[in-house]
Amino acid sequence: MAKLSGFPEFLPAERNVELVVLDHLRSVFELHGFASIETRAVEPVEHLLRKGEIDKEVYTVRRIHATEDPTGHDRTGDALALHFDLTVPFARYVVENAGHLEFPFRRYQIQRVWRGERPQQGRFREFTQADIDIVGRGELAFHFDVEIARVMAEALAGLPVPALTLQISNRKVLEGFYRGLGIDEPTAVMPIVDKLDKISGEKVLELLQTDAGLTRDQAAQCLGLAEITSSDDSFVAAVRALGVRHPLLDEGLEELAVVVTGAAGTPGVTVVADLRIARGLDYYTGTVFETRMAGYEHLGSICSGGRYDELATDGKSTYPGVGISLGVSRLLVPLIADGLTADRSVPSAVLVALVDEDGRAESNDIAHMLRARGIPTEVAAAPQKFGKQIRYAERRGIPFVWFPAADDAGHQVKDIRTGDQVDADLATWAPPAEDLRPRIPSSQEQHS
């Protein structure tokens, strides 16, 4: 059977890499008080298509034997589609459950999503995202923009990946600057400027004139703004030097300076102001984030998000929020393809050796006692020579082999990596903490 492109699947050791990453993310998010939720996989098509130009990416869902009405809809109900991100379903979830939530509501969500994109490295049809959001009722204080950036920077810093750069911009800066230039439709400019990572500045200059209708001077000013980056608040002076003035620009510059300086300082993650960042979806209203990984810049952003003041509303109340989404699959699949793996393919830390088939009950009892103390353990599949049982454990990455007590000796445990074999008390022995669960070896360990 031909392999389906765009639907990544992992071997066990590779899946353990993903599990290590997901466990780390959950731990950081929960340390900061974010509650876990999961939303349904489908939403009404019309609800999804309301949130940006993604109609070509949406997978619709219908029964094979569905009966359609003259409009093409399934007679059994509304047309449904798989969600293409977690933010739109979250907005619906907030509105439907507002009476049961305490605001500001802090949520994290790790779940599969689906997009009908052309499969390529870093882009898939089915993939895992990890989102965090803080949403308020009526209003949401700006300091949450800073908190979201800091929490995700902390989560990213603990991942076994190359250096990351968190790029931060603010749509108020862009819109205010464009309006200060006399541009009536700033939203026509943003997606063109956002292409600077993919096409040359000269091409962007041309498109701003041909597609957005700007004069050459306006286009040159827009390009000048987009080329400003800094790792501190010095970008404010650089923008001011362009000579454009507008109240929305002032507001955006102030906000952006606070987020950039507030999120800085996390080892392993470089925070920069980057004024080319706009984000493609139309619900962002202020702070926006993107993230690049060193050596994998061709993947584009692996972690993105921003402030959305009007995404969720029930007609009476508006629920503004700020959030950021990590593309777990986009991050990990290329790294795994390049050799990133876990130190074992199974969760077992111990293999209990089997002396003979008559001794299976004893080996099972030993495994049960170790498991009762939280030590992942399995029993050898067959009573082969101990050398073969050790090699079996080695192939699976199991670090320890337990030898049941014999007539002339008590229980012993062998670290098959070092060859050390010692007496062991079944009631007290435990592997080192770092061996208790599969882990991702450091780059030095992987190449030693």
Side-chain angles (χ1 to χ4, degrees):
M1 181 180 292
K3 189 173 183 179
L4 286 176
S5 62
F7 297 87
E9 294 178 323
F10 294 138
L11 293 172
E14 298 167 346
R15 169 61 173 161
N16 281 338
V17 171
E18 186 176 42
L19 292 176
V20 169
V21 166
L22 296 181
D23 286 344
H24 166 75
L25 295 173
R26 290 189 192 96
S27 176
V28 173
F29 297 159
E30 291 179 2
L31 281 173
H32 287 270
F34 287 79
S36 175
I37 70 165
E38 184 170 294
T39 56
R40 65 198 186 203
V42 297
E43 299 288 337
V45 170
E46 60 180 21
H47 180 64
L48 291 177
L49 299 187
R50 211 183 296 150
K51 304 302 179 182
E53 297 181 0
I54 42 75
D55 53 298
K56 294 180 180 179
E57 299 180 1
V58 171
Y59 281 113
T60 58
V61 176
R62 54 170 291 181
R63 294 182 301 114
I64 291 177
H65 298 293
T67 303
E68 295 181 349
D69 65 22
T71 68
H73 286 79
D74 185 343
R75 287 178 179 170
T76 60
D78 294 332
L80 300 177
L82 296 169
H83 55 224
F84 63 87
D85 75 354
L86 300 179
T87 303
V88 175
F90 174 57
R92 187 264 313 156
Y93 176 94
V94 168
V95 170
E96 290 183 357
N97 296 285
H100 305 284
L101 303 175
E102 291 294 327
F103 295 96
F105 177 54
R106 309 154 69 84
R107 92 52 158 115
Y108 79 87
Q109 187 171 351
I110 300 174
Q111 204 170 331
R112 294 278 188 172
V113 298
W114 296 266
R115 288 184 191 173
E117 296 191 289
R118 181 173 65 86
Q120 54 187 297
Q121 189 178 43
R123 291 189 179 274
F124 311 101
R125 293 170 174 170
E126 179 184 50
F127 53 99
T128 300
Q129 287 190 182
D131 288 21
I132 52 172
D133 286 80
I134 303 175
V135 64
R137 190 190 334 238
E139 61 181 8
L140 184 72
F142 175 73
H143 66 79
F144 289 116
D145 289 37
V146 181
E147 182 177 358
I148 282 286
R150 289 188 63 86
V151 172
M152 188 54 84
E154 181 180 328
L156 293 173
L159 297 179
V161 301
L164 297 165
T165 299
L166 177 59
Q167 302 161 296
I168 308 176
S169 184
N170 191 300
R171 287 177 72 126
K172 294 177 184 177
V173 172
L174 306 184
E175 183 176 347
F177 188 88
Y178 301 155
R179 292 196 181 280
L181 288 173
I183 300 171
D184 294 329
E185 296 185 15
T187 53
V189 177
M190 291 182 190
I192 297 174
V193 171
D194 211 32
K195 295 178 180 179
L196 268 171
D197 281 337
K198 301 175 182 177
I199 61 177
S200 68
E202 194 61 36
K203 183 62 176 177
V204 168
L205 199 64
E206 177 187 332
L207 291 175
L208 287 172
Q209 297 171 78
T210 58
D211 293 13
L214 306 190
T215 67
R216 182 168 182 82
D217 286 345
Q218 286 175 325
Q221 284 280 67
C222 292
L223 188 59
L225 177 71
E227 291 174 342
I228 294 174
T229 64
S230 72
S231 57
D232 54 29
D233 60 5
S234 61
F235 69 89
V236 177
V239 174
R240 295 295 189 203
L242 295 177
V244 177
R245 297 289 181 268
H246 193 277
L248 190 60
L249 172 62
D250 297 337
E251 183 180 341
L253 286 173
E254 181 179 350
E255 290 183 357
L256 183 54
V258 171
V259 178
V260 170
T261 56
T266 302
V269 177
T270 301
V271 176
V272 300
D274 190 328
L275 296 181
R276 76 183 63 190
I277 305 300
R279 302 297 301 136
L281 296 173
D282 61 7
Y283 48 63
Y284 294 114
T285 55
T287 305
V288 285
F289 308 101
E290 290 194 353
T291 310
R292 261 67 180 183
M293 183 165 59
Y296 293 84
E297 289 82 2
H298 61 284
L299 297 176
S301 179
I302 53 93
C303 183
S304 310
R307 162 73 70 141
Y308 44 90
D309 285 329
E310 299 176 356
L311 180 65
T313 181
D314 58 9
K316 298 178 181 179
S317 299
T318 298
Y319 300 90
V322 60
I324 190 165
S325 173
L326 171 62
V328 177
S329 300
R330 177 177 289 189
L331 174 76
L332 289 182
V333 171
L335 294 177
I336 288 172
D338 288 343
L340 182 66
T341 189
D343 62 351
R344 59 190 193 249
S345 61
V346 295
S348 308
V350 178
L351 175 76
V352 179
L354 191 60
V355 177
D356 52 38
E357 208 47 60
D358 291 339
R360 183 172 293 278
E362 181 186 1
S363 291
N364 284 338
D365 288 343
I366 292 170
H368 176 74
M369 293 180 67
L370 291 172
R371 293 177 194 133
R373 293 194 292 111
I375 302 170
T377 306
E378 63 179 273
V379 176
Q384 299 172 307
K385 292 181 179 179
F386 282 164
K388 288 188 175 181
Q389 294 187 49
I390 291 171
R391 285 192 291 277
Y392 172 82
E394 190 173 33
R395 288 195 303 271
R396 294 159 66 83
I398 302 173
F400 295 96
V401 175
W402 188 283
F403 297 102
D407 293 338
D408 57 345
H411 294 282
Q412 292 193 323
V413 65
K414 183 183 187 73
D415 184 334
I416 65 173
R417 298 160 300 183
T418 64
D420 294 338
Q421 184 167 326
V422 298
D423 294 336
D425 185 340
L426 189 54
T428 59
W429 179 88
E434 62 269 22
D435 289 328
L436 197 57
R437 297 286 183 271
R439 65 186 184 91
I440 303 171
S442 66
S443 57
Q444 291 85 356
E445 289 177 295
Q446 291 186 52
H447 294 97
S448 61

